[in-house]
Every structure is written in structure tokens, then in C-alpha cells.
Amino acid sequence: MESAHILIGLSGSIAAFKIATLVSSLTKQGYEVRVIETKHAASFIGPLTLAALSHNEVYMDEFDGTNEAMIPHIELSRWADVFLIAPADANILAKAAHGLGDDLLSSTILAATCPMLAAPAMNVHMYENPATQANLQTLHERGWTIIDPAYGMLACQEAGRGRMAEPEELEKNIKAILENKAIAASVAQGDSSIDQKPLAGKRVVVSAGPTQESLDPVRFLSNHSSGKQGYAIARAARDLGAQVTLVSGPVSLEALQGVRMVPVVSALDLEKAMIEEARDADFIIMAAAVADYRFKDHHEQKMKKTGDVLTLELVKNPDILAGLGQNKKPGQILCGFAMETENLDTNARVKLESKNCDLLIANNLRTKGAGFQTDTNVVSLLFPDHTEHLGLQSKEALGHTILKTMLALQKGEDPDVIVR
Ligand code: PMT
């Protein structure tokens, strides 16, 4: 991918100066770089600098008559293998989220079909504004990679989140996307020289974290899941070359770069997202800790204290894993988890069979280093015809084992080669 086409769009922020370093580094490595600047961006870094560093003219306003291309936003969007918006100010994020195209940069975003990245840069209050957060969420759900800004002293002399990521971080993200594209293309051409990415071309869907079942605007029913196990599996799947979707309940972990994030809150939200995402997935892994019950009634206002005893009615949530098991597509491999406090293997085997899983990972909360919150886990792997017990290991390492085991199952190979 050394000659890959990288399109960079700058909007108005002082962080624009960092793009000179990025453009220079990419060009030196042999990438083809083209730059679009809004007129506000040009006040922070002149087009001459970026033209000299990219060895290409810098594109500014549409139809200004200075560009060779007849319709620059179409030409540029077709040309790009990857499109980074950096710095992405609140305005360009809003335009992108809402489909506005009133200048060259926003029109090119509208026309682009390549992978999109954005590196926000702005004042902390603008960044935290619910409108900006909603716009970022929208873009994220459409598959954009959002490169989170860092905390620090901002140009406006306020401290907070809003500093654009450093050029090295931007470069790393661009390369990760180009690498995934190259792998997908190699797989499409039947190239077998990519064994170091054994999940290239596979679609993996992972659920993680707890669900929250709301009672009123103040209270909810939930559990202690941190999301660490599910996130570790998603990270492993990404690193093994898969195209990954992570459906996550409310957790305090950072979103994963290079992974499509789908946030959910309740078990019903999770069910909807999983049914949608499972449609064309090769591997589905349900690591989320789903509430089995939700409140029968949801109260719009905070419930008032009444007598000494309060009885609340619960109704059963759907069993999402069982539903996915019933509707399994040919070739799809389904992995469930079982969280137990006693009779681990017996209870887990019932879940494996009743939910029609190909593989079930059983962990016991009473085992040291296993279960909720820890960075490690101790599990048994249950197959339809036997069980393998694994020792203490990191959740990340377990993620790799689970995915390679699922791959072996899909290929009809002996999964024990991976486990032992
Ligand atoms: O998030 P961490 O802090 O890292 O903790 C990891 C973990 C303990 C949450 C994880 O390792 C784990 O065990 N996840 C599954 C938790 C769980 O809900 O187990 P269960 O035995 O109650 O459910 C069995 C399976 O059915 C699970 O795959 C679960 O996702 C699924 N399920 C459960 C209930 C329900 N209504 N729908 C479901 O799909």
C-alpha cells in the first residue's frame, strides 16, 4: 500500500499546524497525499506549505476555477483510498453528520465511499457539547474511525479534552485502515500469503459489558461487568485481521480504534443490535452480562419513598444468545459465555446445548483471577462432545484462543490443537 492515496481534509483549528508533520511523514514514505483546506483552516496553515510537503496542489473552495478537475469533490472522493478529516472542528463534524455539502470539504465528505477518519480538535466545552457528542456518535455508527482528542491545555487557555491527537497517532490509524483494506483485497484475490492475519476477510461481532434496566430516571438494575473480557476479544479479532463490530453496554473503557462500536443500554437494545449485526457475521461472541429480567413498569418520574417494603415486578428479558442459536446461518460459529458460582461445567453444558452454541466459555466468579473486572480469566471451553480446562491467562490471550478455536471449528479442523 506504499502508493495508497491518502486524502486529508483540514478544518479551522490551531491544531492544523500538526498536519504539516503528518503530510511530510506520509509523503516521505511514498504515499500519495492530497489536501483539502477550508478557508478557516488556511488561516492557520497556508496552502503553500502543505502543497510543498505533499508535492500536490492544495484544494480549497469548490468551483473557484483554479483546479484542473472539472468537479473536484467527485474527483477527489473517487481518488481517495482513505480520507482523514484533521483537525475536525465542531462545524465540519456537524455538517458530516447531517449531510451538508456547502463547500469543497463537506461536499467531498458527502461523496466519499472510502473509509473515513476524523480527529476532533476544539475547545473542551464545544467538544463536550451534547450536539458535538451526538454528531460524533452518528459518524461512529456509520463506520467512521474517531481518533479521540487528548486532555491538555488548549489554545483557548482552558484545560480539558479537545487537543487533537498527535501526527504519529493519526498516521498509525491511517495505516491500520490501509492494512485492513490490503488484507481484504488479498483475500478477495485468493492470496494465501497472509496467514499472520488468519481472520482476514471474516466478520466478527462481539458483545461486551453489562446491560442496564431502567426503573425510573434515577435507578437501574445492572451487574458488575466491566466489559474487559468482551473488549479484549474484539481487540484480538481486530489484530487477527477481522472486520469487527463491538456491541457494548455502558462501560468506562475507551472505544477501540479500528473497531465499529455500537453502544447499547438495555437487554432489549442489545437484542436489536445483535440481530442486526449477526446477519452477515462469521463469528458471534456473546461476552456481555445480560440482565435476565427488566422492570415490568418504567416510571417517567423519580419514584417516591412509600412504606417500609417495596415490591417491584420484573419480567423476563429475551434470551439473546438462544435466539441467535435458533437462527444460526450456515457456516456461522456461535460462542456463548456462562458465568456461574457453582457446578460450573454442568450448568455451562446445559447452556451450550439449550442455546445451540458451537462453543461455550465458562467462568466461575468464585475462582481467583476469573470473571468480573479482572484483567485475567480462568475458563473451561465446552464443545458439544468434550470440555477443555484452561489455566489463568490474560483476557487478551483468551480472546486470541477463542477466535482461533472458532476459526478451527469453521474450517472443520481439530480445535484442541489450538487449546492444548
Ligand atoms: O466484563 P468483565 O468484567 O470482563 O467480566 C467478564 C464476564 C464475567 C462478564 C464474562 O466473562 C462472562 O461470563 N459473560 C457472560 C455473562 C452472562 O451473562 O452469563 P450467563 O451465564 O448469565 O448467560 C449465558 C450466556 O447467555 C451469555 O453468553 C450471555 O451473554 C447470554 N445471555 C444471557 C441472558 C440473556 N437474557 N440473554 C443472553 O444472551
Side-chain angles (χ1 to χ4, degrees):
M1 293 299 280
E2 293 292 276
S3 59
H5 295 172
I6 300 169
L7 184 58
I8 302 178
L10 288 80
S11 59
S13 156
I14 180 85
F17 77 91
K18 294 185 185 177
I19 299 304
T21 310
L22 176 69
V23 171
S24 163
S25 168
L26 291 170
T27 312
K28 278 188 195 141
Q29 292 171 65
Y31 292 100
E32 274 276 339
V33 181
R34 290 192 186 176
V35 174
I36 303 174
E37 278 197 283
T38 63
K39 64 175 189 298
H40 293 303
S43 328
F44 292 103
I45 182 164
L48 220 57
T49 307
L50 295 169
L53 293 170
S54 65
H55 309 147
N56 272 313
E57 74 170 294
V58 167
Y59 297 79
M60 306 233 353
D61 260 336
E62 193 158 22
F63 309 126
D64 64 359
T66 60
N67 295 317
E68 283 168 25
M70 285 282 288
I71 318 175
H73 63 289
I74 302 296
E75 298 285 330
L76 287 165
S77 61
R78 283 189 187 143
W79 175 85
D81 290 313
V82 59
F83 190 179
L84 166 71
I85 316 301
D89 64 15
N91 190 45
I92 195 70
L93 292 170
K95 286 201 223 176
H98 294 277
L100 294 181
D102 62 355
D103 61 6
L104 179 58
L105 181 55
S106 52
S107 309
T108 312
I109 292 172
L110 259 180
T113 53
C114 64
M116 301 291 301
L117 303 94
M122 65 198 77
N123 164 272
V124 57
H125 303 299
M126 293 172 82
Y127 178 67
E128 287 174 353
N129 187 298
T132 304
Q133 288 301 313
N135 291 333
L136 283 168
Q137 186 61 35
T138 301
L139 296 173
H140 184 57
E141 283 167 12
R142 285 185 201 149
W144 284 46
T145 299
I146 307 296
I147 307 168
D148 290 335
Y151 281 97
M153 184 53 83
L154 305 173
C156 49
Q157 296 304 308
E158 277 188 73
R161 200 181 270 279
R163 274 171 76 105
M164 188 178 80
E166 296 304 313
E168 300 73 36
E169 180 74 12
L170 305 182
E171 187 174 319
K172 208 171 74 192
N173 275 277
I174 291 173
K175 285 181 171 174
I177 286 185
L178 289 174
E179 194 187 348
N180 276 347
K181 267 190 105 168
I183 290 165
S186 303
V187 170
Q189 288 160 15
D191 181 353
S192 60
S193 67
I194 47 165
D195 274 352
Q196 64 280 29
K197 297 283 184 196
L199 296 190
K202 301 280 178 210
R203 240 203 110 220
V204 175
V205 179
V206 186
S207 72
T211 64
Q212 286 180 358
E213 311 300 324
S214 179
L215 172 65
D216 67 12
V218 179
R219 303 153 178 120
F220 57 80
L221 178 70
S222 192
N223 58 64
H224 298 292
S225 172
S226 63
K228 283 183 181 175
Q229 182 61 81
Y231 276 57
I233 298 168
R235 237 185 338 263
R238 177 199 63 192
D239 294 346
L240 290 169
Q243 197 189 328
V244 188
T245 300
L246 178 57
V247 183
S248 175
V251 295
S252 52
L253 302 174
E254 294 267 312
L256 298 183
Q257 303 290 349
V259 167
R260 201 168 90 82
M261 303 290 297
V262 178
V264 294
V265 177
S266 67
L268 292 180
D269 297 340
L270 178 60
E271 182 190 38
K272 189 159 165 263
M274 288 307 292
I275 291 172
E276 179 67 31
E277 298 300 331
R279 269 196 200 122
D280 56 350
D282 293 284
F283 301 160
I284 304 167
I285 302 150
M286 278 292 293
V290 188
D292 288 319
Y293 292 88
R294 65 181 183 278
F295 293 105
K296 181 159 177 266
D297 300 309
H298 179 261
H299 298 260
E300 289 308 319
Q301 305 301 334
K302 183 184 172 195
M303 284 180 72
K304 294 284 172 226
K305 217 183 306 176
T306 48
D308 287 345
V309 176
L310 171 67
T311 305
L312 294 166
E313 262 190 290
L314 298 173
V315 291
K316 211 170 192 173
N317 270 328
D319 190 322
I320 304 164
L321 181 59
L324 295 169
Q326 262 169 22
N327 297 300
K328 218 189 311 171
K329 315 277 177 314
Q332 200 167 63
I333 304 293
L334 181 63
C335 171
F337 269 72
M339 183 182 54
E340 304 294 339
T341 53
E342 57 182 353
N343 303 328
L344 182 69
D345 285 4
T346 317
N347 292 341
R349 185 149 295 280
V350 171
K351 288 181 182 168
L352 172 86
E353 285 163 10
S354 63
K355 298 177 190 231
N356 195 25
C357 295
D358 301 286
L359 174 66
L360 195 120
I361 316 297
N363 41 195
N364 187 339
L365 293 191
R366 305 253 190 254
T367 306
K368 194 161 180 284
F372 287 139
Q373 309 275 338
T374 52
D375 291 322
T376 55
N377 213 343
V378 182
V379 302
S380 301
L381 265 58
L382 281 82
F383 300 91
D385 53 355
H386 71 292
T387 301
E388 294 287 338
H389 300 283
L390 306 186
L392 181 78
Q393 61 182 316
S394 68
K395 285 183 171 168
E396 197 91 22
L398 176 59
H400 280 262
T401 304
I402 293 170
L403 290 156
K404 287 181 180 167
T405 302
M406 293 176 83
L407 185 62
L409 288 172
Q410 195 187 48
K411 287 180 171 169
E413 293 170 0
D414 179 6
D416 292 347
V417 175
I418 312 287
V419 177
R420 285 181 189 151

